[in-house]
Amino acid sequence: MSGSGYYASPPALPPARPVRRGRRRLFFVAMLLLTLVACDVLARGYLMLVLPYGSLETLIERQQSAATGAAVSEGASEVIHPYLGWVHNPQLSRAEEMDGREVQTNSLGFRDDGEAVRRRSADVFLLGICGGSVAWNFSWEAESTLRQLLSALPQLQGRRLQIVRLALPGYKQPQQLMALNYVLSLGGEFDAVLNIDGFNDGALSILENARQKTSIAYPRSWHARSLVMTDPRISAEAWRLLTLRAERQQLGRRALQSPLRWLALYQLWWHLRDEASRAELSRLGMQISQSNSGSFLHHGPLPEKESTEEQAVAAAELWIRSSQQMQAVCRGLGIPYLHVLQPNQYVPDSKPFTEYELERCLADGQELQSVTSAAYAELRAAGARAKDRGLAFSDQTGVFSGVTDTLYVDPWCHFNRLGNELLAKAVAGELAKVLAEQR
């Protein structure tokens, strides 16, 4: 064979082992999972930076609120009321804790731990408290102080003080007057009524109503609160507003039902979508509000006064007339009434400020300070004149004048528990005088 010139071909190599497709797929899936895990970790880290409490539960709570409709827009838990302007919606408002008690929204829309319509009894002294946020905070944080100081009065012997809260944050006259009349018309009874107000009635009537061409007599920022009511002239814009709210609600419902809801990456996607919708709602709301500048539906009769001074006088006159009407109604029913002008940091020389108050409780701009100062000057003067004519009125703007502790908590008008307790001591003394006069 070797001499024949024939050379045998080398043996064939074994065929290359094919890479299994299954391994490629497994590798692809593994890399995809690793990428998803990495992205989820990054999303979680981002959310922990931007969320108030740094947890996915915060977003889930927001989704639940959006799904129910309670948070599809600012003030969604409020409802337009035929007599009071607006109240809270008991079907949407969440419970909150105040002074160790769970506070619900009662059947009339007031934030209280009981119903607004109650009857007098031999063992309970019913004290109605009217006003805005200061009065509402006072009704909780000063309750024990009031109970202690008033317990020695003859009218409270053998009786337990029970507060009926007709105050709601944002209320201004004549809402206090209307709330009192409304509850009385439904059969509510009181042993005394305390009205604590001033800032909303003066400063906000100017800044949030008159400056926006909204009637001073209308509820605070009525042009914004009434956007849910459609002016036929701008039906297209109103339809878009309602559509955006519906989209936010649907997005919240889908997020709660999604099997991916526990992934931070999915929650980040929802958060960015929801924030975009909120921004669009805000932009559209501003656009509609500007389009409604001459709408009677949203602004009421146009303010006739142009200057801050004239507006302050008009606001003070409305405020004091409303209080006189409250006293007249109470007097006709034999109910002692006391009107208290709440303290405010922009009243000159009303308190020595601490470093905290100087840094955090005074507005940077001058407009809030100047308008509030002008409004309070008129409120104090109107109150003094009405007191001379028989109104049970107490000017408490100087109640903190000798207090060097920190009392105010924000640049508006709110103070802490100590401030409420100090105000309660002063108010209890004034209320005792009113009760003594009507024995």
Side-chain angles (χ1 to χ4, degrees), residues 6 11 14 62 90 105 132 134 136 162 173 232 240 259 271 309 327 335 342 390 396 414 427:
Y6 174 78
R62 282 176 52 189
T105 297
V134 165
W136 193 78
Q162 190 174 92
Q173 291 286 20
R240 176 58 181 154
H271 172 70
E309 292 73 18
Q327 178 169 278
I335 304 171
Q342 67 194 52
Q396 291 296 332
H414 304 103
V427 168

Side-chain angles (χ1 to χ4, degrees), residues 403-415:
V403 183
T404 57
D405 297 300
T406 295
L407 299 180
Y408 288 103
V409 297
D410 59 30
W412 298 94
C413 58
H414 304 103
F415 31 90

Side-chain angles (χ1 to χ4, degrees), residues 152-157 334 336 431-439:
L153 298 179
Q155 293 88 342
L156 274 83
Q157 294 306 299
L431 189 57
K433 296 177 184 176
V434 173
L435 292 172
E437 292 174 357
Q438 293 194 221
R439 285 187 63 186

Side-chain angles (χ1 to χ4, degrees), residues 213-215 218 222 294-303:
K213 303 301 181 183
T214 298
S215 171
Y218 273 33
W222 182 250
S295 167
F296 183 85
L297 174 67
H298 296 288
H299 293 265
L302 295 178

Side-chain angles (χ1 to χ4, degrees), residues 63-83:
Q63 290 160 5
Q64 291 171 340
S65 295
T68 62
V72 294
S73 64
E74 295 297 328
S77 63
E78 297 174 1
V79 60
I80 299 299
H81 192 278
Y83 306 123

